[in-house]
Amino acid sequence: MIRVNRKRTVSPATPSEPQQIKLLPLDLQMMFAQYIQQGLLYQIPGSNFSSQVDLLAETLSRMLVKFYPLARRLTTSPVDGGIYILCNDSDVDFIEAMAGELSIADLIVTQLKDGVSVCCTVNHAVADGTSFWNFFNSWAELCRTNETKISANPTYNRYLLDRDGSSVRLGLDPNGQIPRFCPPLLRVKMFHFSAHTIKRLKERANRDSPVTVSSFQALCGHLWQAVTRARGLGPDETATFQLSVNCRPRLFPPLPESYFGNAVQAIFVTSTAGELNRLPLSFPTGLLNSLIGGQRDGAIRESIGKWVKEPVVYKFEELVKNVLMVGSSPRFEIYENDFGWGGPVALRCGTNNHFDGMVSAFPGREGGGSVEFEICLLPPTMNALEIDQDFICPLH
């Protein structure tokens, strides 16, 4: 059982200048997305939990000075109808909980009998995964070193994504609530792929391919084929693969990785189940390679421009049937987050943003190019995937 010990609020250590940060199209598209919920588990036998919590709260207060949009509120401008982050030195919730009878192996977030979990929840309209983990990395660094500076300050210059300075009116009720998506019963499971397995999949994908596909494209193609089999789709049924791509390095000039906000774009490609089941791995990986390769400055800005003319806020209940959507990234620095207790032993996500076909990609704990997938599927589909030896043991 999890028991909440204390709930308090943490404010920025020093006040900042009042200002507003406009949400741009890539932010606004995420208005109805549920909050990002991710956390890390640390094994700390015999640790002083109370002092650890106080240190986390104190360094979080200092972090909110640097990452000031996290301690703010959203507001709709009566002038242009745009949605802004109101920078007014608000506070954030800080919750301390215990689960003294549970161990790390139970995969429960909070204080455990042999460790501790540090978890964060962030509005997805304010930050994407890159921004989330930049914050987490910096927080761990500040806590570990107790320095006054962090090595990578966030940047908020939005000119490269907002050259014309116009605002988008979504027509939302400023006093309304963001609708909460209620998915059907799902099964969620972590799957680990070693660097050796991914290397062999890449070799297989490139064997008959006219293009050179990456390791991650090979792994995603392998997953797409396996989930299509597990869903038992008919040969003429459509299967969709959707991917969230980081636009920062794809723009010209590129955005810095330290850019805070949303700079991801959802792209997709479709095929038939018959093609995915019948053709070799080089087929889906070729589709993914072409899809990703087309995401350059011109295509990204064209897509944003179309959205501005006809703005649509994405809702999970409106996703197409038989979709497989991969988010997050194995490039995130997750297992480097040392708060002074050593690196984490595991990462786990909350239940927000779960739906049939949602996949979150993360680096494997041992590094070296290994990858972990958190996969959400309907129970019959997950049951079929778990016993699919071509998916579990692709090298046999």
Side-chain angles (χ1 to χ4, degrees):
M1 172 181 276
I2 298 176
R3 183 180 77 251
V4 174
N5 284 353
R6 179 169 50 159
K7 180 177 179 180
R8 50 179 152 159
T9 57
V10 174
S11 302
T14 57
S16 60
E17 291 293 328
Q19 60 177 303
Q20 292 185 340
I21 299 177
K22 183 170 64 177
L23 294 189
L24 303 185
L26 294 180
D27 302 310
L28 294 171
Q29 292 174 16
M30 306 303 294
M31 279 297 296
F32 284 175
Q34 303 302 322
Y35 279 39
I36 300 173
Q37 296 177 326
Q38 293 176 352
L40 299 176
L41 294 167
Y42 295 84
Q43 196 151 22
I44 321 173
S47 57
N48 187 332
F49 184 61
S50 178
S51 63
Q52 292 167 352
V53 170
D54 290 341
L55 178 60
L56 287 171
E58 189 274 328
T59 51
L60 175 60
S61 178
R62 288 193 277 152
M63 283 298 301
L64 293 176
V65 177
K66 302 286 188 181
F67 290 83
Y68 52 84
L70 295 177
R72 307 301 184 255
R73 301 294 181 263
L74 297 182
T75 184
T76 301
S77 169
V79 178
D80 61 15
I83 300 177
Y84 291 78
I85 303 172
L86 180 61
C87 300
N88 58 354
D89 289 327
S90 299
D91 47 38
V92 299
D93 290 334
F94 188 87
I95 301 172
E96 172 189 342
M98 293 184 65
E101 297 181 357
L102 299 172
S103 66
I104 288 289
D106 293 301
L107 307 181
I108 302 295
V109 293
T110 191
Q111 182 194 8
L112 310 174
K113 66 182 181 182
D114 58 352
V116 66
S117 174
V118 181
C119 308
C120 291
T121 297
V122 175
N123 189 327
H124 212 326
V126 173
D128 60 11
T130 298
S131 300
F132 177 94
W133 286 110
N134 283 346
F135 163 77
F136 218 111
N137 298 156
S138 298
W139 187 18
E141 177 190 9
L142 196 65
C143 195
R144 181 182 67 254
T145 64
N146 201 28
E147 297 287 344
T148 58
K149 298 180 179 180
I150 54 177
S151 56
N153 285 305
T155 58
Y156 302 101
N157 185 350
R158 305 207 159 191
Y159 172 73
L160 290 176
L161 282 176
D162 188 33
R163 290 174 176 172
D164 62 4
S166 60
S167 296
V168 178
R169 292 177 178 266
L170 291 182
L172 302 178
D173 180 0
N175 299 313
Q177 296 292 318
I178 298 297
R180 185 173 181 84
F181 173 63
C182 296
L185 178 65
L186 298 170
R187 284 194 61 200
V188 182
K189 188 168 183 177
M190 296 289 290
F191 290 87
H192 177 84
F193 294 87
S194 68
H196 174 70
T197 296
I198 297 172
K199 179 182 177 182
R200 294 289 299 275
L201 285 171
K202 180 180 179 181
E203 292 172 351
R204 180 190 298 177
N206 282 300
R207 192 175 302 152
D208 304 314
S209 176
V211 296
T212 301
V213 302
S214 69
S215 298
F216 191 62
Q217 290 166 8
L219 184 59
C220 287
H222 176 65
L223 175 66
W224 192 12
Q225 287 184 313
V227 172
T228 300
R229 290 194 301 269
R231 282 174 165 161
L233 304 181
D236 295 327
E237 290 191 76
T238 298
T240 300
F241 191 100
Q242 187 166 318
L243 183 69
S244 294
V245 292
N246 182 8
C247 298
R248 290 170 177 82
R250 301 174 184 277
L251 292 169
F252 183 81
L255 280 176
E257 282 298 298
S258 59
Y259 172 80
F260 191 92
N262 281 279
V264 293
Q265 196 166 54
I267 57 176
F268 68 92
V269 63
T270 62
S271 182
T272 65
E275 290 174 314
L276 292 168
N277 291 333
R278 184 181 73 254
L279 297 175
L281 182 58
S282 58
F283 172 71
T285 56
L287 294 178
L288 295 175
N289 179 271
S290 177
L291 174 70
I292 297 169
Q295 295 305 300
R296 293 293 180 261
D297 184 84
I300 294 171
R301 295 189 186 280
E302 180 182 3
S303 176
I304 293 174
K306 289 180 179 178
W307 186 89
V308 169
K309 292 178 180 178
E310 297 183 19
V312 175
V313 178
Y314 298 131
K315 301 177 183 179
F316 288 143
E317 57 266 32
E318 296 174 353
L319 287 170
V320 297
K321 185 180 179 182
N322 301 327
V323 68
L324 189 65
M325 179 177 178
V326 176
S328 293
S329 172
R331 295 183 177 180
F332 291 157
E333 294 183 358
I334 291 174
Y335 289 97
E336 293 81 1
N337 282 289
D338 179 359
F339 284 85
W341 323 313
V345 297
L347 170 142
R348 289 297 180 264
C349 303
T351 58
N352 274 3
N353 298 315
H354 280 177
F355 59 87
D356 178 33
M358 179 63 201
V359 180
S360 296
F362 302 105
R365 182 188 175 193
E366 73 269 27
S370 60
V371 174
E372 292 178 346
F373 280 150
E374 184 200 65
I375 302 177
C376 309
L377 294 170
L378 296 174
T381 307
M382 183 65 80
N383 295 341
L385 187 68
E386 288 177 317
I387 61 174
D388 183 348
Q389 291 303 304
D390 287 336
F391 174 64
I392 301 298
C393 303
L395 307 183
H396 71 282

